[in-house]
Amino acid sequence: MSKHRALFAAAALAAPLVLAALPACAQQTNLRIFVGGQQRPDVMRKILDLYQSRTPGVQVEVEVGGATSDQQQQYLNTVLTSHDSAIDVMLIDVIRPAQFAAAGWAEPLDSYLGSERDAIMARYLPAYREANIVNGKVIALPYFADAQFLYYRTDLLEKYKLQPPKTWEELSAAAKTILAGEKNPNLRGFSTAGAPIEGTVCTFLVPMWGAGGQFLNAQGKPDVGTAAGKKALQLWTDLKASGVTPANLAEIVTDRIRVDFQSGNLLFAMQWGYAWNRFQNDGDSVVKGKTNVVPLPGFAGNQPATCIGGWQIAVSAYSKHKQAAVNLLKFLSSPEISKMQAILASHLPVFAEVYQDPEVLKVNPWFQFARNVVVTGRSRPVSPDYPEVSEIIRTNINAFLAGTRSAEQAIADMNTRLTRVYR
Ligand code: GLC
């Protein structure tokens, strides 16, 4: 029973006559928010408890679903295409606002934000402000930022007197030295996403951008068959051939990288921000105090790149409680909650100033440089057809990593099919 209802019931028992004086309080709004398993529903619950304590008459239930960005979206596709009003608010990946806007799934927020609209949007880091405004309309508000970093085992690098690698070449050499020295059959050198999931799009784009490539050429057409695209795939071929990556890289989903690293079986991991908190706090983590984070490596002579990620909060166009949902959004997308998430979940802030907060830096010392990584990171292609773009890239990269498609075939197939999407 809610606090409010409990009070109401107690009042009813003690003094039935007073009841008639309380009808306005009896109004109760129930909201439901959809969150993926990887976005710390436990932390969301704590945040919502705080909201409920400050907002009498509103109860928010958390619905958790989907272990990957794609699975979450599959679920939302079903709910939203059937115009189901059961979900009021949903977390959506940073790649999705354009798709949500085109499908009419997210309630545009402009009229709710009113005269505060521009001031509210101006507070966010530019990449997140831009990602959430589609054709001039505010489609969602940022919840947390994200980027991929290189996590590494400080104890093992120190043992072999090695510095954290700045290039992929150094990473490969360090991994070979340590794997040969450790002779631990469970230890793998480096892992990243390889399964046919959203994260695998970045497994291609990061080294392609890092080799100087662009997703679209000057004419706005996909351009992945360049020397940079080939160099990206050659990197994974070489790391696999030298036994640095796990043999089953084509099965690795995002959260599996975290599990492998925190059980002590990975030396280097290309992973998103949330993993840090899990490494430090999970009961089964054996890497607490033996982990550090640095920017991803690049190729010698080129600027390193990273993929921008992150999660946004949208109001369903089919919600029956839109104003209450927008009120909740404003709270969830505030500096106060960004700080709370940073401390409880190492979710990267969407506000520049939260990166500097001493309490945030105390638990996440690497946030010192993380803001710059986020600000200089690259966005995946922005398009209402992004689901198709993603599917073309991730299935080809997955087949290439599984060894069922050559690098040439994967690149040729991506180029042909992406060109059709961007015609
Ligand atoms: C993280 C990122 C998200 C990305 C996903 C891929 O959750 O925040 O943007 O798409 O990982 O696995």
PDB file of all heavy atoms in Angstrom, residues 194-214:
ATOM      1  N   GLY A 194      30.377  -9.064 -30.378  1.00  0.00           N
ATOM      2  CA  GLY A 194      30.493  -9.697 -31.699  1.00  0.00           C
ATOM      3  C   GLY A 194      29.219 -10.398 -32.137  1.00  0.00           C
ATOM      4  O   GLY A 194      29.069 -10.777 -33.297  1.00  0.00           O
ATOM      5  N   ALA A 195      28.289 -10.578 -31.194  1.00  0.00           N
ATOM      6  CA  ALA A 195      27.002 -11.214 -31.526  1.00  0.00           C
ATOM      7  C   ALA A 195      26.221 -10.268 -32.452  1.00  0.00           C
ATOM      8  O   ALA A 195      26.550  -9.088 -32.546  1.00  0.00           O
ATOM      9  CB  ALA A 195      26.218 -11.459 -30.236  1.00  0.00           C
ATOM     10  N   PRO A 196      25.178 -10.762 -33.134  1.00  0.00           N
ATOM     11  CA  PRO A 196      24.441  -9.855 -34.033  1.00  0.00           C
ATOM     12  C   PRO A 196      23.548  -8.878 -33.264  1.00  0.00           C
ATOM     13  O   PRO A 196      22.324  -8.887 -33.394  1.00  0.00           O
ATOM     14  CB  PRO A 196      23.629 -10.815 -34.907  1.00  0.00           C
ATOM     15  CG  PRO A 196      23.520 -12.065 -34.123  1.00  0.00           C
ATOM     16  CD  PRO A 196      24.710 -12.148 -33.215  1.00  0.00           C
ATOM     17  N   ILE A 197      24.141  -8.067 -32.409  1.00  0.00           N
ATOM     18  CA  ILE A 197      23.405  -7.102 -31.561  1.00  0.00           C
ATOM     19  C   ILE A 197      23.885  -5.688 -31.862  1.00  0.00           C
ATOM     20  O   ILE A 197      24.906  -5.508 -32.533  1.00  0.00           O
ATOM     21  CB  ILE A 197      23.625  -7.387 -30.053  1.00  0.00           C
ATOM     22  CG1 ILE A 197      25.119  -7.286 -29.711  1.00  0.00           C
ATOM     23  CG2 ILE A 197      23.056  -8.746 -29.659  1.00  0.00           C
ATOM     24  CD1 ILE A 197      25.409  -7.028 -28.253  1.00  0.00           C
ATOM     25  N   GLU A 198      23.191  -4.711 -31.305  1.00  0.00           N
ATOM     26  CA  GLU A 198      23.524  -3.305 -31.560  1.00  0.00           C
ATOM     27  C   GLU A 198      24.991  -2.968 -31.256  1.00  0.00           C
ATOM     28  O   GLU A 198      25.648  -2.266 -32.014  1.00  0.00           O
ATOM     29  CB  GLU A 198      22.581  -2.413 -30.736  1.00  0.00           C
ATOM     30  CG  GLU A 198      22.834  -0.935 -30.871  1.00  0.00           C
ATOM     31  CD  GLU A 198      22.813  -0.471 -32.322  1.00  0.00           C
ATOM     32  OE1 GLU A 198      22.016  -1.002 -33.120  1.00  0.00           O
ATOM     33  OE2 GLU A 198      23.634   0.400 -32.668  1.00  0.00           O
ATOM     34  N   GLY A 199      25.506  -3.477 -30.146  1.00  0.00           N
ATOM     35  CA  GLY A 199      26.875  -3.146 -29.753  1.00  0.00           C
ATOM     36  C   GLY A 199      27.892  -3.495 -30.836  1.00  0.00           C
ATOM     37  O   GLY A 199      28.952  -2.863 -30.948  1.00  0.00           O
ATOM     38  N   THR A 200      27.582  -4.491 -31.656  1.00  0.00           N
ATOM     39  CA  THR A 200      28.510  -4.942 -32.693  1.00  0.00           C
ATOM     40  C   THR A 200      28.641  -3.921 -33.828  1.00  0.00           C
ATOM     41  O   THR A 200      29.640  -3.924 -34.554  1.00  0.00           O
ATOM     42  CB  THR A 200      28.066  -6.350 -33.173  1.00  0.00           C
ATOM     43  OG1 THR A 200      28.152  -7.200 -32.022  1.00  0.00           O
ATOM     44  CG2 THR A 200      28.920  -6.909 -34.270  1.00  0.00           C
ATOM     45  N   VAL A 201      27.676  -3.022 -33.949  1.00  0.00           N
ATOM     46  CA  VAL A 201      27.816  -1.924 -34.920  1.00  0.00           C
ATOM     47  C   VAL A 201      29.067  -1.116 -34.552  1.00  0.00           C
ATOM     48  O   VAL A 201      29.855  -0.734 -35.412  1.00  0.00           O
ATOM     49  CB  VAL A 201      26.544  -1.031 -34.917  1.00  0.00           C
ATOM     50  CG1 VAL A 201      26.748   0.214 -35.763  1.00  0.00           C
ATOM     51  CG2 VAL A 201      25.328  -1.826 -35.395  1.00  0.00           C
ATOM     52  N   CYS A 202      29.252  -0.891 -33.240  1.00  0.00           N
ATOM     53  CA  CYS A 202      30.412  -0.117 -32.780  1.00  0.00           C
ATOM     54  C   CYS A 202      31.711  -0.912 -32.943  1.00  0.00           C
ATOM     55  O   CYS A 202      32.781  -0.319 -33.101  1.00  0.00           O
ATOM     56  CB  CYS A 202      30.211   0.329 -31.335  1.00  0.00           C
ATOM     57  SG  CYS A 202      28.805   1.448 -31.159  1.00  0.00           S
ATOM     58  N   THR A 203      31.622  -2.227 -32.888  1.00  0.00           N
ATOM     59  CA  THR A 203      32.813  -3.062 -33.094  1.00  0.00           C
ATOM     60  C   THR A 203      33.380  -2.820 -34.503  1.00  0.00           C
ATOM     61  O   THR A 203      34.573  -2.972 -34.734  1.00  0.00           O
ATOM     62  CB  THR A 203      32.445  -4.549 -32.870  1.00  0.00           C
ATOM     63  OG1 THR A 203      32.026  -4.678 -31.511  1.00  0.00           O
ATOM     64  CG2 THR A 203      33.587  -5.490 -33.154  1.00  0.00           C
ATOM     65  N   PHE A 204      32.531  -2.427 -35.426  1.00  0.00           N
ATOM     66  CA  PHE A 204      33.012  -2.055 -36.765  1.00  0.00           C
ATOM     67  C   PHE A 204      33.363  -0.565 -36.845  1.00  0.00           C
ATOM     68  O   PHE A 204      34.429  -0.191 -37.324  1.00  0.00           O
ATOM     69  CB  PHE A 204      31.940  -2.407 -37.803  1.00  0.00           C
ATOM     70  CG  PHE A 204      32.319  -1.970 -39.197  1.00  0.00           C
ATOM     71  CD1 PHE A 204      33.468  -2.456 -39.809  1.00  0.00           C
ATOM     72  CD2 PHE A 204      31.539  -1.050 -39.892  1.00  0.00           C
ATOM     73  CE1 PHE A 204      33.835  -2.032 -41.091  1.00  0.00           C
ATOM     74  CE2 PHE A 204      31.899  -0.633 -41.166  1.00  0.00           C
ATOM     75  CZ  PHE A 204      33.040  -1.123 -41.767  1.00  0.00           C
ATOM     76  N   LEU A 205      32.447   0.286 -36.369  1.00  0.00           N
ATOM     77  CA  LEU A 205      32.643   1.732 -36.571  1.00  0.00           C
ATOM     78  C   LEU A 205      33.855   2.275 -35.820  1.00  0.00           C
ATOM     79  O   LEU A 205      34.571   3.132 -36.349  1.00  0.00           O
ATOM     80  CB  LEU A 205      31.385   2.503 -36.142  1.00  0.00           C
ATOM     81  CG  LEU A 205      30.138   2.289 -37.008  1.00  0.00           C
ATOM     82  CD1 LEU A 205      28.959   3.085 -36.439  1.00  0.00           C
ATOM     83  CD2 LEU A 205      30.386   2.693 -38.460  1.00  0.00           C
ATOM     84  N   VAL A 206      34.095   1.789 -34.596  1.00  0.00           N
ATOM     85  CA  VAL A 206      35.199   2.360 -33.798  1.00  0.00           C
ATOM     86  C   VAL A 206      36.546   2.223 -34.513  1.00  0.00           C
ATOM     87  O   VAL A 206      37.238   3.224 -34.720  1.00  0.00           O
ATOM     88  CB  VAL A 206      35.212   1.759 -32.359  1.00  0.00           C
ATOM     89  CG1 VAL A 206      36.536   2.004 -31.658  1.00  0.00           C
ATOM     90  CG2 VAL A 206      34.061   2.355 -31.553  1.00  0.00           C
ATOM     91  N   PRO A 207      36.949   1.001 -34.930  1.00  0.00           N
ATOM     92  CA  PRO A 207      38.242   0.954 -35.635  1.00  0.00           C
ATOM     93  C   PRO A 207      38.183   1.580 -37.037  1.00  0.00           C
ATOM     94  O   PRO A 207      39.193   2.092 -37.519  1.00  0.00           O
ATOM     95  CB  PRO A 207      38.567  -0.543 -35.700  1.00  0.00           C
ATOM     96  CG  PRO A 207      37.293  -1.254 -35.457  1.00  0.00           C
ATOM     97  CD  PRO A 207      36.424  -0.337 -34.641  1.00  0.00           C
ATOM     98  N   MET A 208      37.007   1.599 -37.669  1.00  0.00           N
ATOM     99  CA  MET A 208      36.933   2.249 -38.987  1.00  0.00           C
ATOM    100  C   MET A 208      37.153   3.760 -38.847  1.00  0.00           C
ATOM    101  O   MET A 208      37.958   4.348 -39.558  1.00  0.00           O
ATOM    102  CB  MET A 208      35.587   1.976 -39.657  1.00  0.00           C
ATOM    103  CG  MET A 208      35.554   2.518 -41.083  1.00  0.00           C
ATOM    104  SD  MET A 208      33.916   2.557 -41.808  1.00  0.00           S
ATOM    105  CE  MET A 208      33.245   4.012 -41.049  1.00  0.00           C
ATOM    106  N   TRP A 209      36.438   4.362 -37.886  1.00  0.00           N
ATOM    107  CA  TRP A 209      36.665   5.799 -37.634  1.00  0.00           C
ATOM    108  C   TRP A 209      38.112   6.021 -37.207  1.00  0.00           C
ATOM    109  O   TRP A 209      38.759   6.985 -37.627  1.00  0.00           O
ATOM    110  CB  TRP A 209      35.762   6.289 -36.496  1.00  0.00           C
ATOM    111  CG  TRP A 209      34.317   6.432 -36.824  1.00  0.00           C
ATOM    112  CD1 TRP A 209      33.763   6.778 -38.014  1.00  0.00           C
ATOM    113  CD2 TRP A 209      33.208   6.249 -35.903  1.00  0.00           C
ATOM    114  NE1 TRP A 209      32.381   6.820 -37.891  1.00  0.00           N
ATOM    115  CE2 TRP A 209      32.023   6.514 -36.612  1.00  0.00           C
ATOM    116  CE3 TRP A 209      33.115   5.904 -34.559  1.00  0.00           C
ATOM    117  CZ2 TRP A 209      30.754   6.435 -36.036  1.00  0.00           C
ATOM    118  CZ3 TRP A 209      31.860   5.828 -33.976  1.00  0.00           C
ATOM    119  CH2 TRP A 209      30.682   6.091 -34.704  1.00  0.00           C
ATOM    120  N   GLY A 210      38.609   5.112 -36.355  1.00  0.00           N
ATOM    121  CA  GLY A 210      39.971   5.250 -35.828  1.00  0.00           C
ATOM    122  C   GLY A 210      41.024   5.144 -36.920  1.00  0.00           C
ATOM    123  O   GLY A 210      42.153   5.614 -36.749  1.00  0.00           O
ATOM    124  N   ALA A 211      40.661   4.506 -38.041  1.00  0.00           N
ATOM    125  CA  ALA A 211      41.603   4.405 -39.166  1.00  0.00           C
ATOM    126  C   ALA A 211      41.382   5.561 -40.148  1.00  0.00           C
ATOM    127  O   ALA A 211      41.881   5.544 -41.269  1.00  0.00           O
ATOM    128  CB  ALA A 211      41.433   3.059 -39.867  1.00  0.00           C
ATOM    129  N   GLY A 212      40.583   6.540 -39.727  1.00  0.00           N
ATOM    130  CA  GLY A 212      40.381   7.732 -40.563  1.00  0.00           C
ATOM    131  C   GLY A 212      39.170   7.646 -41.484  1.00  0.00           C
ATOM    132  O   GLY A 212      38.974   8.512 -42.337  1.00  0.00           O
ATOM    133  N   GLY A 213      38.346   6.612 -41.326  1.00  0.00           N
ATOM    134  CA  GLY A 213      37.183   6.446 -42.211  1.00  0.00           C
ATOM    135  C   GLY A 213      35.959   7.218 -41.737  1.00  0.00           C
ATOM    136  O   GLY A 213      35.884   7.660 -40.594  1.00  0.00           O
ATOM    137  N   GLN A 214      35.000   7.383 -42.646  1.00  0.00           N
ATOM    138  CA  GLN A 214      33.719   8.035 -42.352  1.00  0.00           C
ATOM    139  C   GLN A 214      32.624   7.044 -42.713  1.00  0.00           C
ATOM    140  O   GLN A 214      32.805   6.240 -43.626  1.00  0.00           O
ATOM    141  CB  GLN A 214      33.509   9.263 -43.250  1.00  0.00           C
ATOM    142  CG  GLN A 214      34.617  10.285 -43.224  1.00  0.00           C
ATOM    143  CD  GLN A 214      34.645  11.063 -41.923  1.00  0.00           C
ATOM    144  OE1 GLN A 214      33.631  11.179 -41.246  1.00  0.00           O
ATOM    145  NE2 GLN A 214      35.821  11.564 -41.559  1.00  0.00           N
TER     146      GLN A 214
END
